[in-house]
Amino acid sequence: MRRRFNLEFSLFDLARTASIKEHDPDLNPFLTEQRIIASVDLMVDHDDLREQAIEAGFDLLVVDEAHHLMWSEEEGGNDRYDLVEELAEKTPGVLLLTATPEQLGVESHFARLRLLDPQRFSSLDRFLDEEEQYQHTAKIAEVLMSDLPLEAEHFTAIESLLGHAIEDTPEQRFRAIHELLDRHGTGRILFRNTREAIQGFPGRDCQPAPLPAPENWSKDGKLREQMWPEESQLDGSWMETDPRVMWLMEKLRTDLKHKKVLLIARSGPVVEALENVLRLHAGIRTAMFHEGMSLLERDQAAAYFAEESYGAQILLCSEIGSEGRNFQFASDLILFDLPANPDVLEQRIGRLDRIGQENRIQIHVPYLVGTAQERMFRWYNEALNIFSNISPTAQTLQENFIVALKDCLLADKGQEFEDLLEEVSVQREALEAELQEGRDRLLEYNSCRPVVALEIVNALEDYDDNTTLPMFMKRFMASTNIDFDEQSNGTVIIKPTDQMQVQGLTLDEEGMTATFYRDQAQIREDAQYLTLEHPFTESVMEMINTQGFGSTNVAVLKSAALPQGSVLMEVWFKVDVVAPKALNLPSSLPQQLIRVLLSEKGQDLSQKIAPEILKPYLHHLDGNSCRQVVKARREVIEARYQQALELARSALPNFKQQAKEVYSNKWQYEIDRLTYLKQFNPSIREDEIARLQKLQKEGLSLLEGLSVTPEAIQVMVVVKP
């Protein structure tokens, strides 16, 4: 949250809450911070914390991995579901996140929708009936979105659904799709993005590396000892006989010599031992990333790995590296061992296989032939097909066959294991086909509308290509004595100094490493992305908008067309409306700045002389000369300012009328649309429409209070060229 979105969250665990209570037993820990991240189990296991979390009251509840919230009509919900249900009842906004919404069956899927809107989703049977009806709608939409010509039956179905006929033209197809989207069941509260819908993922290939097992390798005993014997030899003695070590060194020296490589193993000690060997005995540039390191150390390791020319060739991660961090600038992944859980394996691969990856991912899997390692590899590769593709059914299948799988992993069962692989592979293909057949393409289209998405992408690219923010921020820092050092890799190191001319900026005493470039921000975990929304940039803009710094100027205007020695005064006024940010009233204003340009005698030149015309002929004065001009022409300056203020205020009634029309029409369109759609889509509630009407009324009332405030003043003294 902090690195990607500049949002400060507090991590709450048992130690943190106990510390707060120890300091003040009567204090509710959940009232001490505005934004909190906590484990569901923390409140499931501690009733007092559960009650305090509910009592605290939050504006938004976000639940990750929401597919673990299980519910059935007969038995109700599990502990996690009951907790989230209690919190959801007291929270205005609820957001449930999951990659597998229907993994635990349609009942649990319905139950999660029930958490979002218990009134709308009150009956499972009614929900199932509605879903059947929406499947028909989705099929019609799929035909509309295809290149196939519409048949007579399609025209009939579309007219039946929409209440009017359409012609088979791209424009009318597009309009019909969006009408169907509005009417489509859960599409207003459920959003699903799939790889098939988004596309652009290069794919991945498995590169197995079968290695001969040493004679002393354990082929009997506990599964942990067979799969991960290195974890029980903390002195590193396992490296002397493990063929994976020599294979790794040779692989990095040859095939992967000029490539960035991510290696993931289960534990920190294994990673440390491998790093030590690669660095000292093979001369390979390495970086480590494990739970024993501080967040700063991990950031530095990730940054060293991201360096193109002189950075680490390989980043060695413990299991913590398979969560949260993204390294899509690399395309080679070495799985030094295999985890016991397919979801964890998918998370490992997901560090590279994500949006932004430009190459096919090569997954290198060393394993010892004839051991549990080989059988686990074959299970993942042949039965679950998890190396080559995302496998939405992998976790469910492994849970269903876990007993048989463990037996086969513990000892070589021969044909029994072959039969198991075949049976699971057949079931997987059937389940995947069922999921593919059941894909709701209308829901997917609503979640990522290609036309709208392309507009956003184009707008971002246009902003990146034409933004003046880097230039503005560098000039600001240079003029206010903020230390900044531009690096060759596209980052900039920003630090406060004792000579800073401004105070109150959001800038840590230690400074920060930042970048103005989106592509750098994606691969540099240590660099903050400076945008208009970044706290540091916002504090700069806030200072400029609210303080006097940089808001006044005195200049010489070289012109033969104006009386010599006379004064021109240019005043910029901001049109202000005091209102909650959520109403976004400024967007309804015809303009947010009013410029007034007056001659010394009060002639209004605002429309006759544009700022661009004046700029080439202006020359700024030093501070002492500025003070002399203001002192000598004080009366004229004050008189012209009052005149400018009256002219700006005189424009407000017209501004107010235009803004109210724009604002009212915007909300009335949405109110009318939902009122009409409520006839067809039961997910549209009466309180939604009432809320829009309230927002419309509130905004119109606040627009009555339009005012102007001076934003900038420039005094110009005319002299001969």
Side-chain angles (χ1 to χ4, degrees), residues 9-22:
F9 273 79
S10 298
L11 289 171
F12 269 39
D13 54 18
L14 192 57
R16 173 75 177 265
T17 55
S19 175
I20 295 172
K21 288 186 175 183
E22 184 179 350

Side-chain angles (χ1 to χ4, degrees), residues 211-231:
L211 303 170
E215 293 182 2
N216 62 346
W217 192 270
S218 174
K219 296 183 180 180
D220 298 308
K222 294 181 179 179
L223 183 58
R224 178 180 293 274
E225 294 173 355
Q226 294 188 56
M227 286 289 297
W228 313 288
E230 61 273 12
E231 294 185 359

Side-chain angles (χ1 to χ4, degrees), residues 227-242:
M227 286 289 297
W228 313 288
E230 61 273 12
E231 294 185 359
S232 61
Q233 301 176 40
L234 299 179
D235 59 355
S237 57
W238 60 275
M239 303 186 73
E240 298 176 4
T241 57
D242 195 323

Side-chain angles (χ1 to χ4, degrees), residues 490-494 512-516 526-530 534:
T491 62
V492 56
I493 298 174
I494 303 172
M512 65 176 171
T513 300
T515 180
F516 293 102
D526 63 321
Q528 299 186 40
Y529 184 31
L530 284 184
H534 188 278

Side-chain angles (χ1 to χ4, degrees), residues 438-572:
R439 277 178 60 200
D440 189 337
R441 286 167 178 78
L442 191 58
L443 179 61
E444 292 174 6
Y445 185 88
N446 185 47
S447 303
C448 180
R449 303 192 185 191
V451 174
V452 178
L454 185 60
E455 289 177 356
I456 294 172
V457 170
N458 290 337
L460 286 172
E461 290 178 346
D462 181 64
Y463 172 82
D464 288 345
D465 292 340
N466 300 290
T467 179
T468 58
L469 183 63
M471 179 190 68
F472 169 80
M473 291 297 291
K474 290 172 188 176
R475 288 181 61 184
F476 173 84
M477 290 187 288
S479 63
T480 55
N481 290 334
I482 296 174
D483 184 33
F484 67 97
D485 184 13
E486 294 188 69
Q487 307 293 298
S488 59
N489 58 16
T491 62
V492 56
I493 298 174
I494 303 172
K495 293 181 180 179
T497 66
D498 295 335
Q499 293 77 39
M500 278 173 50
Q501 297 180 9
V502 290
Q503 301 296 325
L505 298 180
T506 307
L507 182 61
D508 293 338
E509 291 183 6
E510 299 82 14
M512 65 176 171
T513 300
T515 180
F516 293 102
Y517 309 107
R518 191 182 306 275
D519 56 346
Q520 281 292 314
Q522 288 179 332
I523 64 175
R524 298 279 309 202
E525 294 283 353
D526 63 321
Q528 299 186 40
Y529 184 31
L530 284 184
T531 64
L532 287 169
E533 292 78 27
H534 188 278
F536 176 57
T537 312
E538 284 187 333
S539 67
V540 170
M541 297 301 181
E542 179 72 14
M543 188 205 70
I544 292 173
N545 286 329
T546 59
Q547 299 182 21
F549 180 85
S551 61
T552 58
N553 186 48
V554 179
V556 167
L557 175 63
K558 295 184 177 182
S559 172
L562 297 168
Q564 304 302 300
S566 64
V567 171
L568 264 67
M569 187 161 174
E570 183 181 43
V571 187
W572 291 85

Side-chain angles (χ1 to χ4, degrees), residues 330-526:
S331 55
D332 283 273
L333 172 67
I334 293 177
L335 301 175
F336 190 77
D337 52 37
L338 291 172
N341 188 303
D343 280 354
V344 174
L345 177 55
E346 188 57 60
Q347 283 184 333
R348 286 188 180 189
I349 301 172
R351 298 313 94 210
L352 274 57
D353 189 12
R354 55 196 320 104
I355 293 173
Q357 177 60 254
E358 297 181 354
N359 305 303
R360 287 189 70 85
I361 297 162
Q362 305 303 312
I363 305 171
H364 306 273
V365 189
Y367 59 84
L368 303 188
V369 176
T371 71
Q373 290 183 1
E374 179 184 22
R375 294 189 287 274
M376 179 61 90
F377 168 78
R378 293 191 62 197
W379 168 258
Y380 282 143
N381 191 43
E382 298 174 31
L384 303 184
N385 193 32
I386 203 169
F387 294 114
S388 300
N389 296 286
I390 290 281
S391 181
T393 62
Q395 186 68 30
T396 301
L397 286 169
Q398 180 152 314
E399 289 174 0
N400 291 343
F401 289 89
I402 190 65
V403 175
L405 174 62
K406 281 187 175 180
D407 286 343
C408 291
L409 290 176
L410 281 167
D412 188 355
K413 298 284 186 176
Q415 190 59 43
E416 185 179 334
F417 183 52
E418 300 296 331
D419 293 342
L420 176 64
L421 294 177
E422 178 65 23
E423 181 183 359
V424 174
S425 178
V426 170
Q427 284 204 25
R428 173 183 54 77
E429 291 175 0
L431 285 171
E432 288 176 354
E434 186 179 335
L435 287 173
Q436 188 70 11
E437 180 65 25
R439 277 178 60 200
D440 189 337
R441 286 167 178 78
L442 191 58
L443 179 61
E444 292 174 6
Y445 185 88
N446 185 47
S447 303
C448 180
R449 303 192 185 191
V451 174
V452 178
L454 185 60
E455 289 177 356
I456 294 172
V457 170
N458 290 337
L460 286 172
E461 290 178 346
D462 181 64
Y463 172 82
D464 288 345
D465 292 340
N466 300 290
T467 179
T468 58
L469 183 63
M471 179 190 68
F472 169 80
M473 291 297 291
K474 290 172 188 176
R475 288 181 61 184
F476 173 84
M477 290 187 288
S479 63
T480 55
N481 290 334
I482 296 174
D483 184 33
F484 67 97
D485 184 13
E486 294 188 69
Q487 307 293 298
S488 59
N489 58 16
T491 62
V492 56
I493 298 174
I494 303 172
K495 293 181 180 179
T497 66
D498 295 335
Q499 293 77 39
M500 278 173 50
Q501 297 180 9
V502 290
Q503 301 296 325
L505 298 180
T506 307
L507 182 61
D508 293 338
E509 291 183 6
E510 299 82 14
M512 65 176 171
T513 300
T515 180
F516 293 102
Y517 309 107
R518 191 182 306 275
D519 56 346
Q520 281 292 314
Q522 288 179 332
I523 64 175
R524 298 279 309 202
E525 294 283 353
D526 63 321

Side-chain angles (χ1 to χ4, degrees), residues 153-173:
E153 60 184 281
H154 299 139
F155 286 111
T156 303
I158 292 168
E159 185 171 358
S160 173
L161 285 169
L162 300 181
H164 62 80
I166 70 164
E167 296 179 8
D168 194 1
T169 65
E171 294 78 14
Q172 294 215 16
R173 279 190 176 216

